[in-house]
Amino acid sequence: MKISENSLMTKYRKDLSSHFILGAAVVFVAVFVIYPLLRVILLAFVPNGELIRLANITLVNFGKFFTSSLYMRSLRNSLYISISVVFFTLLIGIPMGYFVARVSMPFKRLILSLSILPIIMPAFVGAFSWVIMLGRKGALRILIEKTGLVLPPIYGPFGIIFSMTMMYYPFVFLLSEGAFETANPALEENAVIMGARFPRILRTIDLPLILPSIGAAAILVFIRAIDNFGIPAVIGGNTYVLPTLIYFQVSGFWNLHSAAAISIVSILITISALALQKYIVNKRDYETISASRSRMQLYKHPVVKIIANIFCWSILIISLLPQITLFTMSFFKTWNGMWPRGFTLDNYQKIGNFLSGPISNSLLLATTASLGAAVIGTLVAYLIQRRTVKGRVLLDYAIMLPFILPGIVVAVALLTSFSSGPFVLRGTFLILFISYVIRRSPYVFRSVTAGLTQMDPALEEASIISGATWSYTFRKITFPLIFMTIAAGTILTFATLLKEVSTTILLYSAKTRTLPIAIYDAVNDGNFGLASALSTVLFLAVLLVTYGINRYTGKSMAASFKAG
Amino acid sequence: MSFTLRYDKVVKEFQTKTEVVTALKSVSAEVNEGELFCLLGPSGCGKTTLLRCTAGLEQINGGHIYYGETDFSTIPPYRRNLGMVFQNYALYPHLTIFENIAYALRIRKISEEEIKRKVKDILALVGMEELMYRNPGELSGGQQQRVALARALVYNPKLLLLDEPLANLDAKLKVQMRGEIRRIQKASRVTAVYVTHDQQEAMAISDRLAIMEGGLIRQIGTPDEIYSNPANKFVAGFIGTMNFLQGKVIESNGSTLAIEIGNTAKKCKIKTGSPKPGDEITVALRPENMTIAVRDDKNIYDSCFAGTVAVIQFLGKYIRYQILGENRKSEEMVQVDMDKRIKGIKEGSDVVVNFREEDALLFFDEEGIS
C-alpha cells in the first residue's frame, strides 16, 4: 500500500498538455477570427491606400452610403430582397409545415426528405437553372405566357427573390413542421372544449406556440438571404446587393477599405435582425414546450386532405424543378424554347478535365477543412463547457461570430490581414483552408456543445479520481462519448464546404479553383451544358454525404438540417 | 487517537457573477481510520463541497486537508489515490461493467491477469459476478450502485468518498443498500466519508457523523450522542422530531436550574453556560418524552403546555398527537407520541402536556450560534 502510493506519486508530473492543446485552439481563434475582424473595423475608418493611423481616421468609406447611388441602391436591394424572401418563405413554409404535421396524408417522410434537396445545392446553381426554365426563351416561361400571364424577367429582383424563396423555404417548413408536431395536443384540445373554432385556435394557440421556431427559421433565412452572393451574381444583372458590391470593390478596384465599410454595414444589419428576433421571441415568456408523448389528432376531412396534398406537392415540384432541369440539361447542347436540343454525352466527358483541378481541390479542401473545423470546434466547445476560464463569453462569441458573418465578409477580413506584411497567404490553399475552418467551426462547436451538456461531468471526474490525467481522460472517456456529435457536425461541414462559393470567390487563385467556382465560370461563359453536368455531379456528391450522415446518426435527413 | 483524514480550518469560496459565496466557512474535523463518517445537513450546507474538496475536484481557499502526514491541498486529484461514488454513479456508458472497473487498474499499468483477478474479486465482494460483460445501461439502479462501489474500491484506495449514493433509489432499496454499503466498507477496511441529506440514512449507516449547516460543522459525534445529546438548537431540530418550548430561568445554583415553563415550574440540570434568573431559555423535548392528558381544573396548573388536539396520526408503533396552543399558531404546534390512544382524547379535545425533568434539553439563546 505504502509502496504503490509512492510509485503513483512519481508517475505523474504536472499535466500541462491540456493548457497547451486548448491554448492552441484559443490562439487559432484569436489570430484568424478576432484579429482579421479588428482589421476590418480599422480599415473601414481609413481612406483607401492609407495606413492605419489615428491621423487618417475618416468616415469617407461610410459616406458613400449617402453619396453614391450604387451604394444606396445596393443597401436598399439587400434589405428589400432579404425581407421579401423571409416573407415569402414564411408564407409557403408555415402552411406546408402545418399540413404535414396535422393533416392525415401519405408519404410524409418522403415529403420531408425531398424538401431538403433545394438546400444542398450551391445557391447560384439553382438560380442558373431558373434561367434555363424562366429565361427569355425558357420552357416554363413559354408555357406560362401561353395562358396570358406576364412574368417579370428572371434577371433582376424578381428572379433573385423567387430563386431564394424556392431555395430557403425548407428551413421554415422543417422548423415549423417540427414545432407543430411536438406542440402539446392538450392545449389545442382544451381550446376546442372551451368552444374555440379553427381560426381562433390557429391564431391564439398554434401560431403563438410555434413563434420561437418561426423566429429561428426567419432569422436563418434572413441571414442566408442577405449573405448570398451566388444568386445576385448570376441573375442580378444591374441589381447590386451588398455582397456583390463588396465583390465589385475587391475584384474590380482592390479597394479593401470600402469593402470593409460595406462589410460592417452588412454585419450591423444582421446583428439588428438577430436582436429584433430575440426581442420578439423573448417578449413572450414561454414554458419550454416539452415533446409530448400523446400525438395530435390528425385532420381527416377529404377537402382538407386534398388542399393539403395539392399545396405541398406543388411547392415541392416547383422547388425541385432546378434539379430536374439541371439533370436534363446536362445531356443536351442547348435548351432554348420548349424542348432541349442536341443530345450529347460531351458534357460528362469534359468532366475528366476537371478531375485533377477543381474536383480534387474541392475534395482536398473540404476534407482537410472539415477536420480542422472538427478540431477547433471540439476543443473550444470543451473549453467553454468544462473549464472555468476567463474570457469564456468572449470566446463563445468569437467562435460563433463567423456563423452570422456573410461568407464574403470573412474573405474580406482574411484579405485585409494576410495579403501583405509578414504573412502573405493570398492565393494559397492555406487561406481557403483557414476561411473554411473559421466559417464552419460553429457547426461542430454547436453539435459538440450539445453533446457535452448532455454528458455528466461526473464521468470525467470519476476518471480523474481513479488516477487518470487530463489527456488520458479526454482520450478514453470524453472523446468516445462525444464522438458521434463531432462526426455529425464534421460530415455536415464537409457537405456544406463542397458547395462553398461566397468565401471562395474572393480567395481562390488559378491554382486553387474549386468545383463550385468552375461551375460559376461555366455559367458566366454561357456553357450551360457543362455547368449542368458539373452541378449534377456536385449535387449527387453532397446528397450522398448527407444521406450517409443520416444513416450513420440515425436521424432523418430533415432533422440534421433543422439543426444546421 | 489515530486518525487518517483531518480537516483543518478549511475555507472554500465560490465566485458567482455578482458576489463571492462562502460555501465552507472554517471547517475542522478528524476522521478515524476505518470508520464510516457521514456529512449530514440540509442542501446548501456545504457537505458536498467539502467532499469535492477532499477529492480535489474543488480547490480550497484556506486551511488544510491532511491525510496522515501529507497535505492533500497540494496534490492533484489523480494522485490522491482515493475512490469516489457519485450521486448518479457516473458509470462510463461506452464501457462494459468489466471495463468500467478495470479502468483505474489499466491506468496503473497492471498486468491483464492481475486485472482480471482483481475485478472478479471486487465483483464478488459486491455480489455482481454474473453481470461482468453487460453495459451499464442494462443494469437496475441498485446494480449500478454496486458497480460504482466496486469501481471505486478495486484499486484499494486509502479513502472512499460517497456523494449521496442512495439519492436515486426507491425507499425500500435505499434501506437494503445502506446495509450493503456498510458491509462492503467494513469488509474492505477503507476509511469512508459519506455525504447525505437523509438523517435516517446517516444515523443508520455511520460510525460517527458531522452535522453541517451554513458552511459550518455544528456537531460531530456518534448517532446516539447526536440524537440524545444535541449540542445546539439547530442539531436538536434537524435530527428527528423535536418540540421547542420557551421558558424562563427563576433560580440557578450552578448545576441545577429552576425554570418556569407554561404553567409549571421544573428543576433541570444544566451542562453548559451560566444562566441568570430572568434569562429566556429554550427547552427541547422529543415527542416520545412527553405525556398528554385531558385538561381539567387541576392539571391545568401543573402543565407545560395547554391546547387543543388538531390532528391525531396513527404511525404504527405509536400515536402522534399534534396540539395547537392557545394562540393557534401552527408553527408553535407541539407533537406528543404515546404508545396507545388515550381514552377521551379526540381531535378537538382540550388537553395539557407535561414532561419529566430529566428528559429536557436546555438551550440558551446565544448558544444557537456557537
Side-chain angles (χ1 to χ4, degrees):
Chain A
M1 187 76 191
K2 205 76 190 162
I3 300 159
S4 75
E5 180 195 321
N6 284 338
S7 67
L8 273 176
M9 300 278 280
T10 47
K11 194 176 276 173
Y12 298 110
R13 298 256 155 71
K14 193 161 169 53
D15 190 10
L16 287 174
S17 52
S18 72
H19 299 273
F20 182 74
I21 295 170
L22 298 175
V26 175
V27 169
F28 184 90
V29 173
V31 172
F32 295 116
V33 180
I34 298 175
Y35 170 70
L37 283 174
L38 289 178
R39 289 277 304 182
V40 166
I41 295 171
L42 291 175
L43 277 192
F45 290 96
V46 171
N48 193 21
E50 299 288 337
L51 292 173
I52 298 173
R53 283 223 189 93
L54 210 54
N56 290 337
I57 284 184
T58 170
L59 286 174
V60 73
N61 297 317
F62 293 96
K64 289 187 203 152
F65 279 101
F66 301 97
T67 54
S68 153
S69 78
L70 177 65
Y71 273 62
M72 286 192 278
R73 267 189 289 127
S74 302
L75 178 60
R76 208 173 47 230
N77 286 337
S78 262
L79 287 173
Y80 156 65
I81 289 169
S82 307
I83 292 169
S84 308
V85 171
V86 170
F87 176 77
F88 287 114
T89 51
L90 293 180
L91 202 64
I92 294 174
I94 296 173
M96 196 164 157
Y98 187 80
F99 288 146
V100 172
R102 296 293 175 79
V103 178
S104 162
M105 52 199 282
F107 307 120
K108 284 188 180 184
R109 286 183 65 90
L110 182 68
I111 295 175
L112 285 167
S113 297
L114 286 178
S115 75
I116 68 154
L117 296 185
I119 316 176
I120 66 175
M121 261 197 330
F124 76 88
V125 171
F128 123 75
S129 67
W130 286 118
V131 171
I132 302 175
M133 277 284 114
L134 292 173
R136 215 146 21 102
K137 288 178 186 160
L140 197 57
R141 178 176 294 271
I142 296 172
L143 275 177
I144 290 171
E145 293 191 339
K146 267 186 188 158
T147 65
L149 285 170
V150 182
L151 272 185
I154 189 73
Y155 291 98
F158 164 76
I160 298 175
I161 293 172
F162 179 72
S163 305
M164 285 187 180
T165 303
M166 278 306 143
M167 174 137 225
Y168 295 138
Y169 85 87
F171 290 111
V172 180
F173 162 60
L174 291 171
L175 282 164
S176 58
E177 194 273 339
F180 278 127
E181 199 172 288
T182 52
N184 186 353
L187 297 171
E188 202 171 304
E189 284 159 8
N190 187 41
V192 174
I193 289 164
M194 286 159 69
R197 306 286 297 267
F198 170 76
R200 175 178 285 271
I201 294 174
L202 194 64
R203 185 167 52 80
T204 57
I205 311 277
D206 287 324
L207 288 179
L209 271 181
I210 70 153
L211 188 73
S213 301
I214 294 179
I219 202 73
L220 212 59
V221 171
F222 183 86
I223 290 175
R224 268 155 220 258
I226 202 158
D227 283 6
N228 190 291
F229 167 79
I231 293 176
V234 170
I235 58 174
N238 286 326
T239 311
Y240 272 89
V241 292
L242 295 179
T244 48
L245 185 65
I246 293 173
Y247 179 73
F248 185 62
Q249 291 297 333
V250 176
S251 82
F253 306 103
W254 190 242
N255 186 343
L256 290 175
H257 298 253
S258 294
I262 306 164
S263 298
I264 288 176
V265 170
S266 168
I267 296 169
L268 287 178
I269 295 173
T270 308
I271 291 175
S272 325
L274 275 169
L276 183 71
Q277 178 236 9
K278 256 205 151 111
Y279 173 75
I280 293 176
V281 173
N282 287 359
K283 210 167 57 169
R284 298 150 176 271
D285 224 355
Y286 286 96
E287 293 259 334
T288 336
I289 307 167
S290 54
S292 54
R293 254 164 264 136
S294 51
R295 277 305 188 87
M296 198 76 75
Q297 282 274 325
L298 296 177
Y299 291 105
K300 294 209 173 88
H301 195 282
V303 177
V304 177
K305 279 164 80 172
I306 290 169
I307 294 173
N309 273 298
I310 290 178
F311 185 85
C312 293
W313 285 104
S314 334
I315 298 292
L316 262 187
I317 289 168
I318 296 171
S319 69
L320 292 180
L321 268 181
Q323 275 81 357
I324 299 165
T325 309
L326 287 174
F327 185 71
T328 314
M329 180 75 223
S330 68
F331 291 101
F332 290 90
K333 285 202 176 92
T334 56
W335 194 350
N336 287 319
M338 269 315 284
W339 306 106
R341 254 179 261 155
F343 181 85
T344 176
L345 290 175
D346 266 10
N347 298 324
Y348 283 97
Q349 274 156 7
K350 281 187 204 145
I351 288 177
N353 306 336
F354 293 84
L355 279 178
S356 63
I359 290 179
S360 55
N361 285 349
S362 270
L363 285 175
L364 177 74
L365 277 167
T367 310
T368 52
S370 48
L371 291 176
V375 172
I376 299 292
T378 304
L379 290 178
V380 175
Y382 179 85
L383 195 61
I384 289 177
Q385 287 299 313
R386 288 292 191 265
R387 293 296 169 99
T388 44
V389 281
K390 282 195 178 127
R392 242 162 56 147
V393 182
L394 188 70
L395 191 59
D396 197 351
Y397 279 121
I399 187 122
M400 281 310 288
L401 195 57
F403 189 69
I404 61 159
L405 290 183
I408 201 155
V409 170
V410 172
V412 169
L414 289 175
L415 283 177
T416 59
S417 308
F418 302 105
S419 53
S420 60
F423 301 105
V424 180
L425 300 178
R426 200 174 147 202
T428 61
F429 274 106
L430 192 57
I431 199 166
L432 280 170
F433 168 81
I434 291 167
S435 73
Y436 287 6
V437 170
I438 62 172
R439 278 199 72 198
R440 294 297 184 242
S441 299
Y443 283 53
V444 184
F445 173 76
R446 290 211 310 188
S447 176
V448 174
T449 300
L452 280 173
T453 45
Q454 278 167 23
M455 179 183 155
D456 188 353
L459 291 171
E460 288 149 298
E461 290 172 356
S463 165
I464 299 265
I465 296 251
S466 61
T469 55
W470 174 81
S471 53
Y472 192 86
T473 303
F474 191 84
R475 268 185 295 131
K476 296 285 181 178
I477 304 295
T478 319
F479 183 73
L481 288 175
I482 59 173
F483 178 74
M484 283 290 271
T485 58
I486 297 175
T490 308
I491 302 172
L492 185 65
T493 296
F494 179 82
T496 60
L497 283 179
L498 278 182
K499 65 191 182 74
E500 214 294 329
V501 176
S502 58
T503 310
T504 320
I505 195 79
L506 276 186
L507 297 179
Y508 80 94
S509 62
K511 218 171 44 180
T512 62
R513 209 158 71 117
T514 61
L515 179 56
I517 298 294
I519 300 172
Y520 181 78
D521 290 344
V523 171
N524 282 343
D525 294 346
N527 201 341
F528 283 12
L530 178 63
S532 299
L534 287 171
S535 301
T536 306
V537 169
L538 177 59
F539 173 75
L540 291 177
V542 178
L543 183 64
L544 202 70
V545 177
T546 317
Y547 182 71
I549 328 174
N550 297 301
R551 285 303 295 262
Y552 176 69
T553 59
K555 278 199 283 188
S556 72
M557 298 247 275
S560 66
F561 271 88
K562 281 181 211 172
Chain B
M1 198 191 260
S2 81
F3 54 81
T4 48
L5 181 66
R6 187 155 65 90
Y7 298 105
D8 181 20
K9 302 194 182 88
V10 173
V11 176
K12 173 68 192 171
E13 289 165 346
F14 287 106
Q15 176 74 54
T16 66
K17 265 176 199 157
T18 48
E19 53 179 343
V20 176
V21 179
T22 310
L24 298 172
K25 282 174 186 151
S26 174
V27 170
S28 297
E30 285 167 11
V31 180
N32 300 322
E33 193 163 347
E35 87 177 337
L36 203 164
F37 188 84
C38 266
L39 300 173
L40 172 67
S43 61
C45 70
K47 56 190 190 299
T48 295
T49 306
L50 186 59
L51 194 77
R52 289 174 64 82
C53 288
T54 317
L57 296 171
E58 307 283 354
Q59 298 254 308
I60 57 177
N61 303 93
H64 296 274
I65 300 173
Y66 293 103
Y67 183 81
E69 295 300 304
T70 350
D71 186 351
F72 249 6
S73 333
T74 57
I75 301 177
Y78 52 87
R79 272 201 244 141
R80 294 189 184 191
N81 197 25
L82 39 80
M84 185 158 175
V85 175
F86 291 82
Q87 188 172 351
N88 304 316
Y89 320 130
L91 298 181
Y92 310 130
H94 59 306
L95 302 179
T96 59
I97 300 309
F98 181 89
E99 286 302 325
N100 259 282
I101 297 171
Y103 186 81
L105 300 174
R106 293 201 194 285
I107 296 166
R108 287 164 173 75
K109 304 249 156 57
I110 292 169
S111 75
E112 197 61 27
E113 280 161 55
E114 183 82 357
I115 288 177
K116 272 202 181 118
R117 192 183 58 74
K118 285 194 170 215
V119 172
K120 277 198 178 131
D121 286 355
I122 199 79
L123 279 173
L125 180 68
V126 300
M128 290 279 298
E129 303 97 308
E130 312 88 49
L131 300 172
M132 205 152 53
Y133 298 106
R134 296 278 186 87
N135 282 319
E138 299 169 53
L139 304 189
S140 70
Q143 290 172 325
Q144 291 189 26
Q145 175 66 73
R146 286 166 197 266
V147 174
L149 207 56
R151 187 180 66 179
L153 288 173
V154 69
Y155 46 97
N156 297 322
K158 39 194 177 184
L159 197 58
L160 176 66
L161 307 176
L162 303 109
D163 184 10
E164 307 236 11
L166 303 180
N168 293 335
L169 299 181
D170 64 56
K172 218 168 189 177
L173 204 53
K174 242 183 209 180
V175 174
Q176 188 197 335
M177 274 311 293
R178 73 190 186 205
E180 275 293 281
I181 289 179
R182 193 173 159 85
R183 177 184 69 77
I184 293 163
Q185 182 257 335
K186 291 299 168 200
S188 52
R189 270 175 277 168
V190 64
T191 307
V193 181
Y194 185 115
V195 161
T196 180
H197 66 269
D198 181 336
Q199 43 149 316
Q200 257 191 359
E201 189 178 312
M203 302 299 265
I205 201 172
S206 54
D207 294 308
R208 291 193 309 142
L209 65 161
I211 312 291
M212 294 187 71
E213 186 222 357
L216 289 168
I217 290 184
R218 305 303 306 271
Q219 187 174 5
I220 299 178
T222 63
D224 187 23
E225 279 166 11
I226 286 187
Y227 187 80
S228 46
N229 229 335
N232 48 54
K233 252 200 266 184
F234 173 77
V235 175
F238 186 71
I239 299 290
T241 312
M242 191 68 97
N243 295 305
F244 291 103
L245 299 173
Q246 287 304 312
K248 199 179 250 178
V249 177
I250 310 167
E251 212 183 301
S252 166
N253 73 353
S255 64
T256 318
L257 216 55
I259 55 170
E260 185 185 84
I261 173 165
N263 291 330
T264 183
K266 301 266 181 190
K267 280 206 169 74
C268 301
K269 289 218 158 56
I270 41 170
K271 286 164 201 147
T272 54
S274 49
K276 298 178 296 293
D279 282 356
E280 292 282 325
I281 194 168
T282 303
V283 182
L285 287 154
R286 297 280 179 205
E288 66 267 26
N289 292 332
M290 303 189 86
T291 57
I292 184 173
V294 182
R295 187 200 298 194
D296 59 34
D297 291 343
K298 272 178 272 169
N299 64 17
I300 182 83
Y301 296 111
D302 186 28
S303 66
C304 66
F305 189 81
T308 314
V309 175
V311 181
I312 301 177
Q313 280 175 315
F314 177 74
L315 293 175
K317 269 164 108 183
Y318 53 87
I319 312 284
R320 169 161 296 176
Y321 294 86
Q322 301 190 336
I323 301 140
L324 269 175
E326 242 87 69
N327 50 10
R328 312 196 72 82
K329 281 193 195 152
S330 62
E331 62 268 27
E332 289 172 10
M333 189 131 61
V334 165
Q335 330 233 6
V336 180
D337 292 349
M338 303 296 283
D339 292 342
K340 338 189 221 310
R341 278 183 186 272
I342 310 295
K343 248 192 175 171
I345 298 182
K346 298 189 294 280
E347 289 182 355
S349 302
D350 288 332
V351 291
V352 291
V353 172
N354 223 326
F355 64 94
R356 285 183 314 212
E357 291 169 343
E358 63 264 34
D359 291 327
L361 296 159
L362 306 187
F363 297 107
F364 309 106
D365 278 351
E366 54 283 351
E367 213 180 34
I369 303 140
S370 67

